[in-house]
């Protein structure tokens, strides 16, 4: 008698690591916090762009599903990709434009690679890069020039001239932090940095809420959803190069504005949600370290001191290409190690038989 099995369980086996599906769901949950902030700040244009990007991703998945019944279709991945594209696109961008661009990129990538983690290129950064090419006028320009770097603190200059608005609670919060936290290290921060850390008011939503990005990174790393190796190497390399590299050109080493570099250009956002895209990163420890360090150097060359509209996106896009060579090196080393192991095993058997 045939029995229909309705429930399948993996017991007694369990995942040694958080599954991709659960990781995606957790990342979407962290992104929903930022969307809530957009709602609270009445950033309806940004929400419209995110909705258009989501619609493009959804339609691409539906069409590919109709063409290939075996295509993996899951709502959480659609939400993740759509929200990321919308967050990295200026709120002034054409809703129809981002819809068609997102649909075209996702359709080509999913039709070519099928699986969610089978593509060597991150479709999110590919869509945003294409949006920049077709609508460069909608993306903001650099906020600082090379001459502004001579001030030693271009971020403070941007706060003073009103480029980064200061919220009413900035003064008491800054005073509290200076009296309690920073006084332990013998330093103090001027007014305005708390506002920049909380909300930069950029036209690109992903660039705005750095404090929420920091909290999200703590949550995702603590629950082993995001590995800290690549982000750590990336941020450390980029920050050190900004601190010593950029001012060194102007004979002022050690005076680079690290805060401006980390709190603009979507650096924290892209490091957390985009840099380690599924299927695009190396798998070995040395490969991950190389990936992060090379990424930090490329970020310094592309983004510079900060305030870049798409520097982080193109950094990740180029890293996807470099990752192919790193992964090939990992494969060759693993193959060589396996050959040595097989040779030792074969020699041991010959000696035993003799």
């Amino acid at each position: 008698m045939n029995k229909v099995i309705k429930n399948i369980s993996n017991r007694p086996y369990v995942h040694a690591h958080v599954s991709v599906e659960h990781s995606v769901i957790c990342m979407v949950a962290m992104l929903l916090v930022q969307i809530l902030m957009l709602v609270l700040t009445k950033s309806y244009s940004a929400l419209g762009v995110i909705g258009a990007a989501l619609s493009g991703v959804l339609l691409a998945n539906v069409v590919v599903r109709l063409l290939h019944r075996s295509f993996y279709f899951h709502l959480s991945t659609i939400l993740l990709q759509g929200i990321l594209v919308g967050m990295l696109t200026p709120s002034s961008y054409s809703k129809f434009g981002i819809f068609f661009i997102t649909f075209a990129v996702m359709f080509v990538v999913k039709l070519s690679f099928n699986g969610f983690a089978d593509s060597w290129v991150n479709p999110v950064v590919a869509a945003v890069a294409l949006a920049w090419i077709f609508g460069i006028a909608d993306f903001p320009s650099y906020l600082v020039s090379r001459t502004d770097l001579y001030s030693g603190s271009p971020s403070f200059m941007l706060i003073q001239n009103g480029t980064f608005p200061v919220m009413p609670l900035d003064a008491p919060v800054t005073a509290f932090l200076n009296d309690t936290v920073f006084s332990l290290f013998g330093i103090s921060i001027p007014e305005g940095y708390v506002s920049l850390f909380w909300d930069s008011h950029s036209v690109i939503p992903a660039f705005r809420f750095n404090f929420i990005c920091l909290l999200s990174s703590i949550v995702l790393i603590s629950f082993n959803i995001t590995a800290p190796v690549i982000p750590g190497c990336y941020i450390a390399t980029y920050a050190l190069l900004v601190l010593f590299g950029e001012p060194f050109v102007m004979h002022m080493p050690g005076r680079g504005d690290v805060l401006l570099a980390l709190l603009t250009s979507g650096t924290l956002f892209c490091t957390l949600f985009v840099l380690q895209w599924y299927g695009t990163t190396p798998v070995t420890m040395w490969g991950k370290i190389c990936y992060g360090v090379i990424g930090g150097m490329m970020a310094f060359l592309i983004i510079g001191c900060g305030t870049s509209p798409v520097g982080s996106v193109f950094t990740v896009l180029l890293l996807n290409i470099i990752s192919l060579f790193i992964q090939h090196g990992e494969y060759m080393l693993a193959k060589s190690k396996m050959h040595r192991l097989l040779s030792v095993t074969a020699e041991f058997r010959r000696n035993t038989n003799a």
Side-chain angles (χ1 to χ4, degrees):
M1 181 177 179
N2 295 331
K3 183 179 180 180
V4 177
I5 300 177
K6 296 182 178 180
N7 298 319
I8 300 177
S9 173
N10 61 355
R11 292 192 299 265
Y13 305 104
V14 295
H15 291 288
H17 189 273
V18 179
S19 66
V20 173
E21 181 180 353
H22 289 167
S23 298
V24 171
I25 292 174
C26 291
M27 294 182 73
V28 170
M30 296 296 101
L31 289 171
L32 289 178
V33 177
Q34 301 213 21
I35 292 179
L36 177 61
M37 288 296 299
L38 292 175
V39 174
L40 295 177
T41 55
K42 299 180 180 179
S43 305
Y44 301 125
S45 296
L47 294 173
V49 171
I50 294 174
L54 273 171
S55 301
V57 177
L58 178 61
L59 181 60
N61 279 265
V62 170
V63 174
V64 176
R65 174 65 175 177
L66 294 175
L67 296 175
H68 296 282
R69 291 294 180 179
S70 60
F71 173 71
Y72 179 77
F73 185 92
H74 204 281
L75 181 60
S76 59
T77 61
I78 295 174
L79 289 174
L80 179 61
Q81 293 176 323
I83 292 174
L84 287 177
V85 172
M87 291 285 290
L88 290 167
T89 305
S91 57
S92 58
Y93 205 90
S94 168
K95 311 300 186 296
F96 294 102
I98 195 61
F99 168 79
F100 287 114
I101 289 174
T102 306
F103 167 77
V105 171
M106 294 298 171
F107 177 76
V108 172
V109 170
K110 294 179 183 299
L111 195 62
S112 303
F113 300 100
N114 192 19
F116 172 66
D118 294 336
S119 172
W120 62 266
V121 64
N122 185 341
V124 171
V125 297
V128 178
L130 195 62
W132 178 80
I133 293 174
F134 285 107
I136 188 173
D138 292 306
F139 283 79
S141 58
Y142 279 89
L143 300 179
V144 293
S145 63
R146 188 172 182 81
T147 56
D148 294 331
L149 299 178
Y150 283 100
S151 66
S153 181
S155 59
F156 184 62
M157 178 192 67
L158 293 174
I159 292 173
Q160 285 186 318
N161 64 25
T163 303
F164 297 135
V166 178
M167 61 184 183
L169 292 177
D170 188 282
V173 173
T174 301
F176 172 78
L177 293 176
N178 286 334
D179 293 338
T180 56
V181 179
F182 297 114
S183 61
L184 300 176
F185 304 95
I187 60 175
S188 62
I189 60 173
E191 295 181 9
Y193 282 96
V194 172
S195 299
L196 175 60
F197 192 52
W198 178 253
D199 185 0
S200 67
H201 293 273
S202 172
V203 296
I204 302 179
F207 294 11
R208 293 182 58 176
F209 310 113
N210 290 290
F211 180 70
I212 294 177
C213 281
L214 183 61
L215 291 181
S216 299
S217 66
I218 295 174
V219 172
L220 295 178
I221 292 175
S222 299
F223 286 94
N224 202 27
I225 296 170
T226 298
V229 177
I230 292 177
C233 293
Y234 178 84
I235 290 294
T237 302
Y238 178 45
L240 288 174
L241 287 174
V242 169
L243 182 62
F244 296 102
E246 185 71 30
F248 183 78
V249 179
M250 299 171 291
H251 309 290
M252 295 188 300
R255 293 186 59 186
D257 197 335
V258 178
L259 285 177
L260 181 68
L262 297 182
L263 299 182
T264 60
S265 307
T267 302
L268 297 181
F269 184 92
C270 290
T271 301
L272 178 62
F273 294 107
V274 181
L275 185 64
Q276 298 189 92
W277 192 258
Y278 303 94
T280 63
T281 59
V283 294
T284 62
M285 181 59 67
W286 74 265
K288 292 179 180 179
I289 294 174
C290 289
Y291 184 85
V293 172
I294 294 174
M297 292 188 292
M298 293 181 59
F300 175 68
L301 294 175
I302 298 175
I303 303 173
C305 65
T307 72
S308 171
V310 288
S312 296
V313 169
F314 280 99
T315 297
V316 175
L317 192 59
L318 291 176
L319 265 179
N320 289 164
I321 300 175
I322 294 176
S323 180
L324 295 176
F325 297 95
I326 298 177
Q327 293 180 56
H328 179 71
E330 291 176 326
Y331 169 76
M332 296 303 295
L333 287 177
K335 184 178 179 180
S336 177
K337 183 178 180 180
M338 181 61 67
H339 284 167
R340 291 196 302 268
L341 181 61
L342 292 175
S343 299
V344 172
T345 304
E347 183 66 23
F348 175 78
R349 288 181 177 178
R350 283 196 298 267
N351 294 336
T352 303
N353 293 333

